[in-house]
């Protein structure tokens, strides 16, 4: 029996530049952090030769090729386990369309658990790279690379995506007090709505490929990621909210489904109540609204948005890890 724990994430700046439609022409960059909300994957040996995969439904099949769940099927193929295995999962947050990178978190955690199950260690770079192979190349998801890398590495990171497909992951170096003050000023608000990420990202990819003005927005968003890293290096939070705000204003222009009149209304009400900046997490269209505001304005923001659920969170310094191993003796 193996259990892996892999963190979800929030992205502050640069989102969208991790798509190949952008970074294959010039480097993309994001500032992201793992948070203390997780997906847990359990892998256990099954008594018979079948494969049992339990998620929103339960599949019991005789061979890997019969699995309908693409991520599980491709992960088992990649790792080389084809029978006698049971896989289950639990998530702290609803796992679809919430903007916290749940699909990639699941894939990274699944790979980590499967490698541990067959007695092999897989480091963060391998987990992230192979999760990208599964999701983007094998399953054809129109997504970027940032979610896989922050789930594997954890921490508060500056991540650069290069035209040659390499990825650089560099920790944000700042005082512990700076991270604590940042956490205290952030609010994560659940809108109660979700969206199909693939539809938003496909439109964004197509717009990026054919529209120079959209590429210019992304180029500026990459600059904002660099600006945010520099500000944090200098332990300066004064510009944080404004960077979030400009990034969100530019991201809204990348595709029609990123924002909605309802989201715009929530955001403006949050700003009127004292938020300096914010954004919808993930691809957009729903999920979690992140806002940055002085602590003394948090009560006013909650009062202004009573229909949204405040979900407390903290930064998570670790990436995907194995938290439980039960070894059975051969005699048993």
């Amino acid at each position: 029996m193996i259990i892996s724990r892999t963190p979800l994430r929030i992205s502050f700046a640069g989102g969208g530049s991790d798509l190949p439609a952008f970074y294959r022409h010039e480097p993309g960059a994001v500032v992201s952090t793992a948070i203390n909300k997780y997906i847990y994957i359990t892998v256990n040996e099954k008594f018979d030769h079948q494969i049992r995969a339990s998620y929103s439904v339960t599949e019991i099949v005789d061979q890997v090729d019969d699995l309908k769940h693409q991520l599980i099927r491709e992960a088992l193929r990649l790792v080389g386990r084809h029978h006698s295995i049971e896989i289950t999962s639990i998530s702290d947050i609803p796992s679809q369309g919430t903007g916290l990178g749940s699909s990639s978190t699941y894939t990274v955690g699944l790979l980590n658990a499967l490698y541990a199950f067959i007695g092999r260690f897989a480091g963060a770079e391998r987990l992230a790279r192979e999760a990208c192979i599964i999701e983007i190349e094998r399953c054809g998801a129109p997504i970027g690379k940032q979610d896989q890398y922050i789930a594997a590495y954890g921490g508060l990171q500056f991540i650069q995506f290069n035209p040659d497909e390499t990825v650089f992951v560099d920790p944000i170096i700042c005082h512990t007090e700076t991270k604590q003050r940042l956490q205290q000023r952030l609010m994560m608000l659940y809108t109660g709505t979700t969206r199909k990420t693939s539809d938003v990202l496909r439109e964004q990819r197509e717009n990026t490929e054919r529209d120079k003005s959209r590429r210019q927005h992304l180029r500026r968003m990459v600059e904002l990621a660099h600006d945010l890293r520099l500000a944090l290096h200098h332990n300066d939070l004064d510009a944080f909210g404004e960077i979030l705000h400009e990034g969100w204003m530019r991201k809204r222009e990348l595709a029609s489904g990123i924002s909605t009149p309802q989201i715009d209304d929530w955001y403006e009400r949050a700003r009127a109540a004292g938020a300096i900046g914010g954004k919808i997490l993930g691809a957009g269209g729903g999920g979690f609204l992140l806002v940055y505001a002085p602590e003394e304005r948090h009560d006013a923001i909650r009062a202004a948005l009573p229909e949204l659920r405040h979900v407390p969170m903290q930064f998570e310094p670790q990436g995907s890890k194995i938290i439980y191993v039960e070894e059975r003796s051969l005699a048993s």
Side-chain angles (χ1 to χ4, degrees):
M1 166 76 77
I2 303 290
I3 303 177
S4 70
R5 187 189 76 180
T6 308
L8 298 165
R9 67 96 183 98
I10 54 178
S11 178
F12 296 124
S17 69
D18 61 327
L19 293 169
F22 183 84
Y23 73 71
R24 284 180 180 165
H25 300 278
E26 57 189 289
V30 301
V31 175
S32 294
T33 184
I35 61 173
N36 64 338
K37 305 297 179 185
Y38 310 97
I39 292 179
Y40 300 85
I41 305 289
T42 67
V43 175
N44 193 27
E45 185 157 14
K46 203 168 183 299
F47 177 75
D48 56 30
H49 282 269
Q50 290 182 309
I51 299 168
R52 181 180 185 271
S54 183
Y55 43 105
S56 56
V57 299
T58 297
E59 294 188 63
I60 300 176
V61 300
D62 293 321
Q63 53 189 2
V64 171
D65 292 347
D66 295 332
L67 282 168
K68 295 179 181 178
H69 195 293
Q70 289 183 308
L71 300 178
I72 298 175
R73 184 181 67 235
E74 296 306 323
L76 286 170
R77 284 174 173 169
L78 191 150
V79 172
R81 180 74 182 199
H82 299 104
H83 60 81
S84 304
I85 194 166
E86 182 172 13
I87 299 167
T88 64
S89 61
I90 299 173
S91 179
D92 286 338
I93 298 289
S95 59
Q96 293 295 325
T98 53
L100 300 180
S102 59
S103 174
S104 299
T105 294
Y106 181 95
T107 308
V108 168
L110 176 59
L111 283 171
N112 203 5
L114 289 175
Y115 275 120
F117 182 73
I118 64 172
R120 293 172 61 188
F121 170 77
E125 196 282 331
R126 180 173 188 168
L127 291 173
R129 175 170 42 83
E130 292 187 350
C132 290
I133 290 172
I134 288 172
E135 291 193 272
I136 300 171
E137 296 181 18
R138 296 192 177 186
C139 295
I143 61 174
K145 292 182 174 182
Q146 67 159 309
D147 295 351
Q148 299 87 346
Y149 277 83
I150 196 65
Y153 280 85
L156 175 61
Q157 307 282 359
F158 178 87
I159 309 175
Q160 180 171 304
F161 310 95
N162 303 309
D164 64 358
E165 298 292 345
T166 59
V167 178
F168 299 158
V169 182
D170 296 309
I172 299 288
I173 307 300
C174 60
H175 292 158
T176 301
E177 293 79 5
T178 301
K179 290 184 183 179
Q180 291 173 343
R181 285 189 290 120
L182 177 56
Q183 291 177 90
Q184 290 164 357
R185 295 177 187 180
L186 291 170
M187 299 178 69
M188 201 167 76
L189 304 166
Y190 184 49
T191 66
T193 62
T194 59
R195 75 286 180 266
K196 193 173 181 181
T197 302
S198 59
D199 293 340
V200 177
L201 290 175
R202 282 193 185 94
E203 181 186 348
Q204 183 176 325
R205 179 185 63 191
E206 293 169 0
N207 291 342
T208 301
E209 289 172 342
R210 68 169 182 256
D211 189 336
K212 291 184 178 179
S213 67
R214 310 290 174 93
R215 291 188 59 81
Q216 187 58 39
H217 279 302
L218 279 168
R219 191 171 291 117
R220 174 56 184 158
M221 290 165 70
V222 171
E223 292 176 358
L224 291 174
H226 284 272
D227 293 344
L228 189 55
R229 176 176 66 165
L230 186 61
L232 289 170
H233 282 339
H234 288 101
N235 299 290
D236 177 13
L237 292 178
D238 290 344
F240 196 97
E242 294 299 338
I243 289 174
L244 278 185
H245 176 69
E246 182 180 346
W248 172 239
M249 292 297 100
R250 289 183 178 275
K251 183 172 182 177
R252 290 166 70 248
E253 302 300 318
L254 298 179
S256 61
I258 287 176
S259 191
T260 66
Q262 178 65 81
I263 290 172
D264 291 341
D265 177 62
W266 285 328
Y267 184 67
E268 290 307 317
R269 283 156 59 188
R271 292 261 291 174
I276 300 172
K279 58 176 293 189
I280 285 287
L281 294 172
F288 280 90
L289 173 66
L290 180 76
V291 298
Y292 176 89
E295 289 179 80
E296 61 269 20
R297 302 307 304 165
H298 285 196
D299 286 343
I301 293 169
R302 279 191 285 264
L305 298 168
E307 64 270 46
L308 304 190
R309 176 185 172 187
H310 178 224
V311 178
M313 63 81 191
Q314 293 182 328
F315 297 170
E316 168 55 60
Q318 294 187 298
S320 183
K321 61 184 297 185
I322 302 300
I323 61 171
Y324 181 79
V325 178
E326 180 187 65
E327 296 182 355
R328 298 188 176 105
S329 66
L330 293 176
S332 64

